[in-house]
Structures are given as structure tokens and as C-alpha cells.
């Protein structure tokens, strides 16, 4: 390890050696590679570090002597299991601002520079898997899904392609999307991360930021190569992470039932020759985090009058200061990345998500609400509150309905 700590806050001698980035350029060579590795700081042209929040574990591995500080990945056989793109949207700097459209091709598109010693790393990986959920087997037994031996097997196995996507933020584009000044965005990022990334305020020449947050996982059902063609029908569920429900089956919300229903809709679409897509965003508890979420659960269940829909959003706002921090404004980027301009079946009741797609010119043909029989009893509070707030459904509850306590007490 070098004896000196290298500060990245100001340009250093030889900084001209870092490759230029022309966001929105038509080819990877014209766009230039994103270099966020720390192994050779002279090459860096981005703020932040690879692997999002996991960079902290990498630091522990280096500090404890288990990982060489200058370890370079060997990319043999890591190429995407399915080709994605390029699509025309990739060369529009305003359409994609929160991920690198060339991120899955980084090691091949820039193979020469990698070989020459520039530490360029993929920010997207594409692989294949089989998934299996009890809800899908139940849907087969109930006669809603029909195994075809290809996409859906009789034992409930579903063949999928999946992609992991790390966030790559183009700061001028992000500021434009939110209608704010880039300087205000940079300052807020700098301050709210407690000064973790000084370049945000000292290096206005660096326009790309790899934020220390979770990214997303995409699950594709059917033939991925059909995406981007106007005739391809697409079904989709955009799902924001809810670990308690998604993994552990907690019944206070509708997350896992909605996820399973979305997958069902996606399988049907794939079986009809279209493509199904589940976008799974790491935005736990409306991006407020799980600690805040559990505090809100307690506040809801302990309040006078019990857990009821009329105070559902208010209790969140009391604790977090806002109702929601998911910022759906950035969510459509993934559709631009996949060349999708029309979603034929949209498994979601969220007006914020729907509005964000419309603002980005992506058509939603049919909105598919969750069937009532798939909603757990304790989740009625959330469902009624969302419907009353204008979420999409075929029924809107009235004020008397919203005042009724419907959630369990804390000790029940
Ligand atoms: Zn949930």
C-alpha cells in the first residue's frame, strides 16, 4: 500500500490522462468509459466508487488485509448472458440520467483500454436463472397460470433472464430532470452524505457520480431480444423493495402479493409471445429505510383510534418529514435503456409511477389492479389510504370507511 493518502478533491498533476465523458454520445467510444476505480486515481473521471453501499465492505476487506488494495477483476466469461441494446434512447442525454446504458458492455467495449491498464468496471451484469414462488404454484393449482414446459414448468419453476444495475448519475441530467440547479444538487448531496464526496463541490468538471445506494434488479420473462420492437407487447411491474413483505411475508402491506401478481401477469405475457419485466428497486420503505418504516408502524398502531386509513400518510410524515422519497422521476430511465416506449399491461396502482412514465413519453395501455382476494387483512389500511389518495383502482372508499380502524393492534 502506498504511504500517502491520495486526496481526490482537486485535480492532480497528470489528471489530463483521465478519459473524457460525452454523456449521450452514440457509441461507447465517443461516450468514453466511466472510470471510478481507485486503483489508479489519475484515470478517474467520476465521483464516488463502484458497488454502491458495498464499497464500505470492500474498505473493511482492504483494512483487514483480506483484499489487495489494487486488486483488478478478471472479466473472463462474465459477458452478458443476453444482448441488450443499443437502443436509440441511449444517444439522448436527457432520456437516461441515472444509469450507464453501456454499463453491461464496459469490459468488451473498452477492452483495449482495460488491457492498457485502465480500471474500467461494468455497472450492469446480465445472467439467467430459474425462480419459484409458492404463489405461482398456487396460481397453477387455481387454474390462472398454465405450465408450458418452456417459460413455466409444472413444478412452478420459471425461466428468467435477470440483470443487476448499479446507479450511475449524470449530474447535469439529473438536475435538469428535477428542474433544479446542478450546484444545488451537488451541495445537497455533499451535505447530506456528511461531506463523504468532496469532489461534488470542488470538481465541477466531474459530471458523473456513482452514489452509495442500492440499484435495481430486472427480471425478464420471455425473449429479451424482442424488446425495443414496436410490435412486441410488454407487461411490467415496477416494484420498490419491501423486505418484510417480499421475503418474510409480513401482512401489513400488499408488497409481496403485488409482486407475485405482477410476476403472474409477466408470465402470461411471455407465454403469449410478449415480454414480461419486473423492475425491483432497492428503495426500502419508500426509500426512507427500514428503521423509519418500523417507527411508523408503531406510531400507526399506537395512535388514538387505532390503525386506520385516514391517518396512514400523516403518521409517515410525522416521523420522516415526507410521505415518500422514492423519486419516481428517475424510474423511467430503465425503460429507455430497454428501448420500451409502450407498456401494454402495467401491474401497479401507483399514480406517481404512472405519472413519471407519462412525463417521459412512455405509454401505458392497460393498468392492472391487484385482485381483492390477494390482499391480506392487515393491509386494508394501506390499500384504502392509497385508493383515497388517488391511486388507481375500480373503487374509492369514502370518509366513514377511512375512519374505521382496520389494522391489528401492536400486541395482537
Ligand atoms: Zn410492503
Amino acid at each position: 500500500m502506498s504511504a500517502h493518502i491520495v486526496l481526490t478533491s482537486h485535480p492532480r498533476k497528470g489528471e489530463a490522462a483521465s478519459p473524457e465523458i460525452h454523456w449521450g454520445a452514440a457509441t461507447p467510444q465517443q461516450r468514453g468509459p466511466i472510470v471510478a476505480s481507485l486503483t489508479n486515481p489519475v484515470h478517474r473521471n467520476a465521483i464516488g466508487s463502484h458497488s454502491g453501499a458495498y464499497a464500505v465492505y470492500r474498505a473493511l476487506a482492504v483494512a483487514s488485509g483480506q483484499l489487495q488494495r489494487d486488486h483488478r477483476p478478471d472479466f473472463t466469461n462474465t459477458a452478458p448472458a443476453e444482448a441488450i441494446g443499443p437502443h436509440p434512447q441511449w444517444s439522448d442525454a436527457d432520456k437516461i440520467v441515472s444509469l450507464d446504458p453501456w454499463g453491461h458492455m464496459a469490459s468488451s467495449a473498452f477492452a483495449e483500454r482495460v488491457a492498457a491498464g485502465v480500471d474500467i468496471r461494468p455497472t450492469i451484469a446480465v445472467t439467467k436463472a430459474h425462480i419459484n414462488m409458492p404463489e405461482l404454484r398456487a396460481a397453477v393449482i387455481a387454474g390462472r397460470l398454465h405450465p408450458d414446459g418452456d417459460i413455466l414448468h409444472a413444478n412452478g419453476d420459471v425461466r428468467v433472464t435477470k440483470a443487476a444495475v448499479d446507479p450511475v448519475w449524470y449530474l447535469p441530467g439529473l438536475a435538469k430532470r428535477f428542474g433544479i440547479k446542478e450546484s444545488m444538487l451537488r451541495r445537497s448531496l455533499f451535505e447530506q452524505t456528511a461531506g463523504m464526496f468532496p469532489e461534488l463541490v470542488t470538481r465541477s468538471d466531474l459530471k458523473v457520480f456513482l452514489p452509495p445506494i442500492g440499484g435495481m434488479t430486472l427480471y425478464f420473462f420471455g425473449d429479451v431480444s424482442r424488446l425495443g420492437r414496436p410490435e412486441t407487447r410488454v407487461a411490467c411491474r415496477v416494484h420498490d423493495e419491501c423486505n418484510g413483505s417480499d421475503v418474510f411475508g409480513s401482512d401489513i402491506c400488499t408488497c409481496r402479493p403485488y409482486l407475485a401478481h405482477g410476476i403472474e401477469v409477466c408470465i402470461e405475457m411471455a407465454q403469449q409471445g410478449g415480454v414480461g419485466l419486473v423492475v425491483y428497486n432497492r428503495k426500502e420503505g419508500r426509500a426512507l429505510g427500514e428503521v423509519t418504516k418500523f417507527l411508523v408502524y408503531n406510531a400507526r398502531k399506537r395512535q388514538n383510534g387505532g390503525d386506520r386509513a385516514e391517518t396512514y400518510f400523516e403518521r409517515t410524515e410525522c416521523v420522516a418529514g415526507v410521505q415518500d422519497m422514492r423519486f419516481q422521476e428517475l424510474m423511467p430511465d430503465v425503460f429507455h435503456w430497454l428501448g420500451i416506449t409502450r407498456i401494454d399491461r402495467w401491474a401497479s396502482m401507483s399514480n406517481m409511477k404512472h405519472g413519471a412514465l407519462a412525463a417521459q413519453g412512455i405509454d401505458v395501455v392497460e393498468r392492472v389492479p391487484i385482485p381483492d382476494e390477494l390482499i391480506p387483512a392487515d393491509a386494508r389500511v394501506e390499500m384504502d389510504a392509497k385508493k383515497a389518495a388517488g391511486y388507481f383502482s375500480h373503487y374509492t372508499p369514502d370518509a366513514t370507511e377511512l375512519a374505521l380502524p382496520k389494522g391489528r393492534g401492536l400486541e395482537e
Side-chain angles (χ1 to χ4, degrees):
M1 185 185 277
S2 117
H4 304 289
I5 290 176
V6 179
L7 291 181
T8 52
S9 54
H10 291 82
R12 300 161 64 251
K13 215 163 59 170
E15 202 75 30
S18 70
E20 280 184 31
I21 297 172
H22 301 280
W23 196 262
T27 69
Q29 283 69 33
Q30 290 165 342
R31 206 290 306 274
I34 309 288
V35 191
S37 157
L38 299 155
T39 57
N40 191 347
V42 167
H43 295 147
R44 276 170 64 83
N45 61 11
I47 305 167
S49 176
H50 283 290
S51 306
Y54 297 105
V56 177
Y57 286 105
R58 195 172 60 233
L60 280 180
V62 170
S64 60
Q66 295 171 58
L67 173 65
Q68 285 288 325
R69 188 173 165 276
D70 56 357
H71 170 76
R72 296 281 304 277
D74 173 357
F75 293 120
T76 309
N77 290 332
T78 63
E82 286 280 355
I84 293 176
H87 294 292
Q89 290 92 329
W90 296 16
S91 47
D92 181 336
D94 289 335
K95 278 203 156 55
I96 301 174
V97 300
S98 62
L99 60 88
D100 176 5
W102 306 100
H104 54 317
M105 304 180 184
S107 54
S108 56
F110 304 110
E112 279 177 30
R113 294 204 211 208
V114 173
V118 183
D119 191 356
I120 300 164
R121 304 188 181 196
T123 53
I124 297 174
V126 185
T127 188
K128 300 244 181 190
H130 283 201
I131 63 169
N132 197 316
M133 295 167 78
E135 288 92 336
L136 300 177
R137 291 199 296 274
V140 170
I141 291 164
R144 293 198 307 274
L145 281 180
H146 307 282
D148 55 70
D150 177 26
I151 293 160
L152 174 63
H153 292 261
N155 67 355
D157 271 10
V158 186
R159 220 161 40 81
V160 298
T161 301
K162 58 180 184 177
V165 182
D166 273 345
V168 177
W169 287 7
Y170 178 59
L171 294 171
L174 218 86
K176 196 170 168 189
R177 184 78 59 90
F178 283 96
I180 55 176
K181 280 190 172 157
E182 188 187 332
S183 57
M184 179 52 73
L185 173 67
R186 285 173 172 267
R187 180 180 175 159
S188 188
L189 287 167
F190 172 72
E191 289 178 347
Q192 295 302 318
T193 55
M196 195 184 254
F197 306 99
E199 307 103 300
L200 285 166
V201 288
T202 61
R203 294 288 308 272
S204 57
D205 57 314
L206 299 179
K207 300 291 188 190
V208 171
F209 177 43
L210 276 60
I213 55 174
M216 61 183 145
T217 313
L218 313 180
Y219 283 83
F220 300 95
F221 305 79
D223 184 354
V224 177
S225 71
R226 291 185 186 165
L227 286 173
R229 301 182 202 160
E231 69 274 17
T232 302
R233 297 187 74 228
V234 174
C236 182
R237 162 85 187 150
V238 170
H239 192 87
D240 295 327
E241 177 174 34
C242 172
N243 183 270
S245 172
D246 294 344
V247 179
F248 292 95
S250 160
D251 67 347
I252 195 170
C253 55
T254 50
C255 299
R256 180 167 168 119
Y258 227 124
L259 179 62
H261 173 248
I263 292 172
E264 207 177 305
V265 171
C266 286
I267 292 169
E268 280 170 0
M269 182 58 86
Q271 288 179 328
Q272 293 163 12
V275 179
L277 168 66
V278 171
V279 178
Y280 192 89
N281 286 309
R282 294 298 167 343
K283 292 180 179 174
E284 177 61 63
R286 297 197 207 125
L288 304 170
E290 211 171 35
V291 169
T292 298
K293 182 182 193 175
F294 290 4
L295 296 174
V296 171
Y297 286 163
N298 284 346
R300 276 172 53 186
K301 290 187 175 289
R302 284 187 179 129
Q303 69 186 321
N304 287 332
D307 190 11
R308 56 200 194 278
E310 64 177 4
T311 55
Y312 171 82
F313 288 111
E314 195 184 310
R315 290 278 75 79
T316 307
E317 216 170 318
C318 284
V319 179
V322 292
Q323 292 178 2
D324 199 306
M325 292 203 296
R326 283 175 291 180
F327 294 108
Q328 301 296 349
E329 286 89 338
L330 302 175
M331 176 271 286
D333 284 21
V334 68
F335 295 100
H336 291 320
W337 181 55
L338 296 168
I340 296 172
T341 55
R342 188 192 70 241
I343 298 165
D344 297 275
R345 303 201 78 207
W346 171 245
S348 167
M349 58 188 283
S350 164
N351 276 0
M352 281 180 289
K353 290 176 188 167
H354 187 265
L357 290 174
Q360 284 295 307
I362 296 162
D363 289 336
V364 173
V365 178
E366 182 196 357
R367 299 168 80 172
V368 187
I370 191 166
D372 272 347
E373 63 269 22
L374 297 180
I375 301 168
D378 201 42
R380 290 281 160 190
V381 177
E382 179 194 282
M383 286 302 279
D384 285 359
K386 287 182 169 179
K387 286 176 184 177
Y391 277 52
F392 176 75
S393 81
H394 297 303
Y395 162 76
T396 309
D398 63 19
T400 352
E401 182 89 23
L402 299 175
L404 294 174
K406 291 188 176 176
R408 272 197 318 274
L410 203 53
E411 307 301 335
E412 285 174 66

